[in-house]
Amino acid sequence: MSHRQVADGLLPEPVPVRFVAEDGTAAPPAGYQGDHPAGYGAPADDLLVEAYRHMVLGRRFDRQATALTKQGRLAVYPSSRGQEACQIAGVLALRADDWLFPTYRDCVALVARGLDPVEVLTLLRGDWHCGYDPAATRVAPQCTPLATQTIHAVGMAEALRRRGEDAVAMAFVGDGGTSEGDFHEALNYAAVLRSPVVFFVQNNKYAISVPLARQSAAPALAYKGVGYGIRSEQVDGNDLVAVLSVLTEAVRHAREGGGPFLVEAHTYRIESHTNADDATRYRDAGEVARWEAADPLARLETYLRGRGLLDTAGVEAAHEAAEEYAARVRDRMNAEPETDPFELFDHVFAAPTPQLREQRALLAAELSAPEE
Amino acid sequence: MTAMSDSMSESMSAPPATTPGPKPRPEPSRSTPTRQPRPEPVAKAKAKSKSKPEPSAPVPASMSMAQALNAALRDALREDERVLVFGEDVGPLGGVFRVTDGLTREFGEERCFDTPLAESGIVGLAVGMAMGGFRPVVEMQFDAFAYPAFEQIVSHVAKTRNRTRGLLSLPMVIRIPFAGGIGGVEHHCDSSEAYYAHTPGLKVVTPATVEDAYWLLRDAIADPDPVIFMEPKRLYWAKEEFTPGERRAPGFGRAAVRRAGGDATLVAYGPGVPVALQAAEAAAAEGRSLEVVDLRTIVPFDDESVMASVRRTGRCVVVQEAQGFAGVGAEIAARVQERCFHSLAAPVLRVTGFDIPYPPPKLEHAHLPDVDRILDAVDRLQFDDRPDVLHLSGGAAS
Ligand SMILES: Cc1ncc(C[n+]2csc(CCOP(=O)(O)OP(=O)(O)O)c2C)c(N)n1
Ligand SMILES: [Mg+2]
């Protein structure tokens, strides 16, 4: 095979893979409800309905977290509204024994994975950093230093492979994160080692204020895979069916020894970067409105109704469950968290050094000193 | 530059002609106005002021530091199948300093392997593998080439246990050949220990003897926390009678008194220890008895042993090869004066490299702390109750 043929086998589709059009009908030109012409299989119907419920719940959770931030219960919250198809498909494509390496943006995915929402929000509430048990959940701590988690995912994938587990690792990363060196080192390592890892880029068009055009001149971010020898795909990130289909194939490819897989999902960050950001300074309302019209949740609902997989009762049940969930999150988050300043010294090392013991005693003296 | 570095790295697998042996003869010499004339061995060497130390006469030796490190890796790989070794050129080549020599042959590609050339990737890969239950021991080829991995080290290696309340730990070792004295061209001789020591969550180790090279590396690999293992390049070829067997080395986290003395304490670590020992030898010839404390581990820091020595001697000089400002020696000096103030007969002094980027090979002798610089500092410890004139001005010389 010529280099050109090898490259052709790795390149993404020229236009993002799409199963469902923006209006919720089966995507043209073929109007297919079965497999995508590029070979991506249609997800099972009941999985799509499950995904719908997760999306409703995820969006409600996101709104609740934003509200808690406005009330001062969270220090900060990066919303993923508009990215629910990615958040949910990313998780549903994985087995419970696969590892997930999320970013700060991915709380909704973690909730969908079944993590305790209060433990997920610990970081943003600020009573500790990571609030859940990564080993038990197989979810790495949400990562803030951009793209650094992508290479951890490769290391984990190598560890899983060497232990003889057929589990994979999936790293979430943003469009901005693909400019970081670690992203490229991770792709290169994964390709050379043929690690069972999936890189999932949520291209939400902005890195804080910086638009995609200032981030990369690649035809699409998915093209970054070919130079490393990684099979890559781009997908309509607001089409749950498409994202789930492509990610499922990516995971299968990695699990069955095909090596790493890169998926770029084209989506959009509807809210500001975080509650502390003001997106009106760098993008106009018209652009946001256009993406609101391409809402992934409405699209999936229309599609499922059109195929007779969902009815009004099903929609209402999903929303009721989401309301109950949000109410429980709100109630639990309204309780002031317990913090212990002495715990600050407990996890620096397996056992505190003599110096940390001294500093702990110093803090104890400070805290027990009478108020002046 | 690339070709130059490469050829330099290659040449480093054999000792350079100027490498000092473990215990070169004391041949100090300086001329300081306040000094009394020195006894014979000192005066003899006067003409050689500021020259590089002479290589010592060959001593019968069983193992070099590089070989001891190799033995430690081999034994760890043998005893614990979770241990993995990887980095740049560590496979079939055996590392540019040959510390991983033969490991791929003995343990196979799965246990000791070459990675693509990317240091952040090496450390990040190790983080993921440690999360996945392995115990990676990775090699950074040189001190200055560990900088691309700095973000991984500071933001993940150091913090993961803390971020997860101890639910995820990263038992891993990052080996870094460091410091100078080997005639290396730029970017090959940095003393980078302070960056790591300043980072909570990292243990920082630097051996000064062959025996410690073996045992401290074994300790580091067995440790539940990440360890930055800094190998003084100039001691790689220093030989000692040593066979790994029954352990006599002190525990991890304990300093060692390398030479007992009563008049002043020299606190040193890594590449500074042999120089401090030479200085103590020379001082003895002048009738002054210096104690030499080898930290062995910078973190954890053994306050107890250092302070016990200084309280006994009442005087202290901290020796480090690194540039002085905001360095490890500054921390030690501060701790000593905080804890031993009432035992001190003189201010704690530091003997360090200058606050300059590491010099080119032909000038490194001017930068590196040597016996003279240490003895000059010892002279300023107010044995004659005269104040330290150098520090009276209170500020920079104008
Ligand atoms: C190494 C690093 N540099 C800068 C930042 C500050 N920062 C946080 S989020 C962000 C934008 C990231 O954009 P993208 O990767 O597209 O993810 P998104 O926030 O859009 O989900 C920046 C610059 C950081 N967290 N890490
Ligand atoms: Mg973005």
Side-chain angles (χ1 to χ4, degrees):
Chain A
M1 260 208 293
S2 73
H3 290 162
R4 186 54 171 270
Q5 284 169 312
V6 172
D8 281 347
L10 302 173
L11 282 173
E13 288 288 292
V15 293
V17 171
R18 174 185 268 191
F19 275 68
V20 182
E22 274 183 26
D23 64 3
T25 60
Y32 45 83
Q33 286 179 359
D35 297 345
H36 187 274
Y40 297 103
D45 290 344
D46 54 351
L47 191 57
L48 295 179
V49 176
E50 187 188 339
Y52 170 77
R53 285 196 226 102
H54 276 300
M55 282 174 75
V56 171
L57 190 133
R59 175 160 299 180
R60 184 62 188 85
F61 169 84
D62 192 82
R63 190 149 60 81
Q64 190 60 53
T66 299
L68 286 165
T69 311
K70 290 199 176 111
Q71 292 155 19
R73 286 281 170 200
L74 297 183
V76 62
Y77 182 71
S79 167
S80 61
R81 187 154 79 87
Q83 300 179 218
E84 290 87 352
C86 299
Q87 294 283 301
I88 303 306
V91 165
L92 292 186
L94 295 177
R95 290 193 321 220
D97 63 337
D98 293 328
W99 269 82
L100 177 62
F101 288 76
T103 77
Y104 51 87
R105 175 86 52 214
D106 304 315
C107 291
V108 166
L110 301 199
V111 166
R113 171 101 171 168
L115 271 62
D116 180 331
V118 173
E119 291 183 4
V120 170
L121 292 176
T122 298
L123 169 76
L124 304 167
R125 176 160 70 175
D127 43 308
W128 200 261
H129 307 295
C130 178
Y132 50 86
D133 182 342
T137 57
R138 295 205 164 193
V139 178
Q142 282 180 284
C143 190
T144 305
L146 296 172
T148 53
Q149 77 281 8
T150 55
I151 184 72
H152 303 162
V154 181
M156 178 58 79
E158 279 302 298
L160 293 167
R161 187 178 65 70
R162 284 154 190 267
R163 292 200 319 229
E165 297 187 31
D166 73 342
V168 306
M170 184 187 286
F172 284 18
V173 63
D175 46 303
T178 68
S179 299
E180 291 279 3
D182 275 11
F183 175 74
H184 295 265
E185 297 189 17
L187 257 56
N188 189 45
Y189 272 58
V192 170
L193 296 167
R194 280 183 80 81
S195 311
V197 60
V198 175
F199 302 102
F200 181 37
V201 179
Q202 292 178 77
N203 174 3
N204 64 8
K205 306 297 181 290
Y206 287 90
I208 308 186
S209 67
V210 180
L212 188 64
R214 294 215 164 266
Q215 204 63 249
S216 173
L221 298 176
Y223 285 79
K224 294 196 178 197
V226 64
Y228 297 103
I230 292 185
R231 201 177 140 197
S232 307
E233 192 52 274
Q234 55 175 332
V235 59
D236 180 339
N238 284 14
D239 175 0
L240 179 281
V241 185
V243 185
L244 185 54
S245 169
V246 170
L247 283 178
T248 301
E249 167 60 16
V251 167
R252 185 203 60 76
H253 174 91
R255 197 185 309 286
E256 291 175 7
F261 202 116
L262 169 67
V263 177
E264 176 194 9
H266 297 271
T267 183
Y268 194 79
R269 195 195 75 209
I270 297 290
E271 301 287 341
S272 289
H273 173 68
T274 67
N275 56 290
D277 175 41
D278 174 8
T280 64
R281 293 175 69 94
Y282 51 83
R283 65 185 191 186
D284 62 57
E287 179 186 297
V288 181
R290 278 196 300 285
W291 278 96
E292 296 245 33
D295 180 46
L297 180 53
R299 193 193 305 192
L300 184 63
E301 184 180 322
T302 308
Y303 177 74
L304 293 176
R305 278 179 185 266
R307 292 200 43 219
L309 298 171
L310 187 70
D311 57 13
T312 303
V315 170
E316 280 170 2
H319 282 275
E320 266 167 40
E323 283 307 320
E324 276 170 32
Y325 186 88
R328 275 200 308 279
V329 170
R330 186 186 54 228
D331 291 347
R332 289 178 64 203
M333 291 298 291
N334 276 334
E336 198 52 43
E338 303 245 328
T339 56
D340 173 10
F342 298 112
E343 197 185 357
L344 292 171
F345 302 99
D346 288 349
H347 314 298
V348 183
F349 296 108
T353 59
Q355 291 75 23
L356 286 171
R357 285 201 298 272
E358 275 179 25
Q359 290 165 26
R360 190 183 204 280
L362 186 73
L363 180 65
E366 282 177 16
L367 294 179
S368 64
E371 297 278 324
E372 287 179 27
Chain B
M1 187 57 229
T2 304
M4 193 174 163
S5 305
D6 285 349
S7 62
M8 203 194 78
S9 304
E10 280 310 303
S11 75
M12 282 181 176
S13 54
T18 53
T19 302
K23 282 175 188 167
R25 311 220 82 82
E27 289 187 325
S29 77
R30 318 66 52 78
S31 46
T32 28
T34 54
R35 264 201 100 67
Q36 301 300 310
R38 282 183 179 282
E40 179 53 10
V42 176
K44 204 174 71 183
K46 259 212 160 97
K48 295 187 79 257
S49 183
K50 282 291 171 201
S51 68
K52 295 185 195 173
E54 291 276 282
S56 62
V59 273
S62 52
M63 203 180 265
S64 70
M65 182 179 280
Q67 288 166 332
L69 293 166
N70 180 265
L73 291 172
R74 193 178 298 268
D75 291 348
L77 281 160
R78 230 176 246 153
E79 286 173 26
D80 186 346
E81 61 182 17
R82 297 170 303 172
V83 174
L84 302 169
V85 172
F86 52 92
E88 294 158 9
D89 302 294
V90 301
L93 178 69
V96 296
F97 293 105
R98 304 294 183 263
V99 171
T100 58
D101 189 31
L103 299 183
T104 299
R105 206 180 328 116
E106 182 171 346
F107 299 98
E109 270 283 331
E110 283 283 292
R111 308 277 316 274
C112 176
F113 57 96
D114 289 326
T115 63
L117 234 169
E119 293 75 14
S120 188
I122 293 169
V123 173
L125 190 78
V127 168
M129 294 190 93
M131 284 169 69
F134 286 87
R135 289 183 169 252
V137 183
V138 301
E139 175 172 307
M140 299 282 104
Q141 203 156 66
F142 285 84
D143 32 58
F145 309 140
Y147 300 145
F150 200 65
E151 181 186 28
Q152 285 288 347
I153 294 174
V154 172
S155 293
H156 292 292
V157 175
K159 290 179 181 169
T160 295
R161 174 186 291 283
N162 188 64
R163 290 167 71 213
T164 62
R165 289 190 151 115
L167 292 171
L168 266 192
S169 57
L170 298 178
M172 55 184 278
V173 178
I174 303 174
R175 295 181 34 244
I176 308 179
F178 87 118
I182 56 158
V185 296
E186 61 170 349
H187 308 302
H188 291 78
C189 294
D190 283 9
S191 287
S192 45
E193 67 271 23
Y195 306 136
Y196 306 112
H198 192 61
T199 304
L202 299 176
K203 292 177 177 169
V204 184
V205 178
T206 172
T209 69
V210 172
E211 182 182 33
D212 263 0
Y214 180 87
W215 285 114
L216 286 174
L217 186 52
R218 293 301 306 271
D219 289 348
I221 296 170
D223 201 89
D225 290 306
V227 178
I228 308 292
F229 194 88
M230 311 211 55
E231 301 168 3
K233 284 192 277 296
R234 67 157 119 170
L235 303 183
Y236 269 143
W237 306 280
K239 291 198 169 188
E240 251 174 55
E241 296 275 10
F242 172 71
T243 31
E246 207 189 320
R247 179 178 185 136
R248 283 167 308 154
F252 193 80
R254 298 312 305 229
V257 175
R258 296 291 178 207
R259 179 188 174 110
D263 293 340
T265 300
L266 303 181
V267 182
Y269 58 87
V273 173
V275 188
L277 285 169
Q278 291 164 42
E281 187 78 25
E286 296 179 4
R288 197 160 271 164
S289 157
L290 303 183
E291 182 144 301
V292 177
V293 177
D294 172 5
L295 291 182
R296 306 175 69 245
T297 64
I298 297 172
V299 182
F301 185 78
D302 185 357
D303 274 311
E304 197 182 323
S305 300
V306 171
M307 303 315 154
S309 173
V310 176
R311 285 195 190 106
R312 216 175 322 107
T313 63
R315 290 176 169 83
C316 178
V317 174
V318 184
V319 179
Q320 76 178 31
E321 179 177 317
Q323 61 278 16
F325 192 83
V328 169
E331 174 64 25
I332 300 169
R335 302 184 81 80
V336 169
Q337 73 82 20
E338 282 169 356
R339 286 162 176 75
C340 302
F341 185 76
H342 296 288
S343 310
L344 286 171
V348 181
L349 298 181
R350 279 174 294 160
V351 171
T352 72
F354 300 122
D355 294 327
I356 55 174
Y358 197 85
K362 292 202 186 311
L363 289 171
E364 68 178 352
H365 64 281
H367 169 69
L368 292 172
D370 58 4
V371 169
D372 287 346
R373 203 177 290 164
I374 294 172
L375 292 180
D376 282 343
V378 170
D379 283 346
R380 285 164 49 213
L381 290 176
Q382 306 183 14
F383 288 100
D384 49 10
D385 270 345
R386 260 184 299 174
D388 177 9
V389 283
L390 259 182
H391 280 178
L392 276 186
S393 61
S398 45

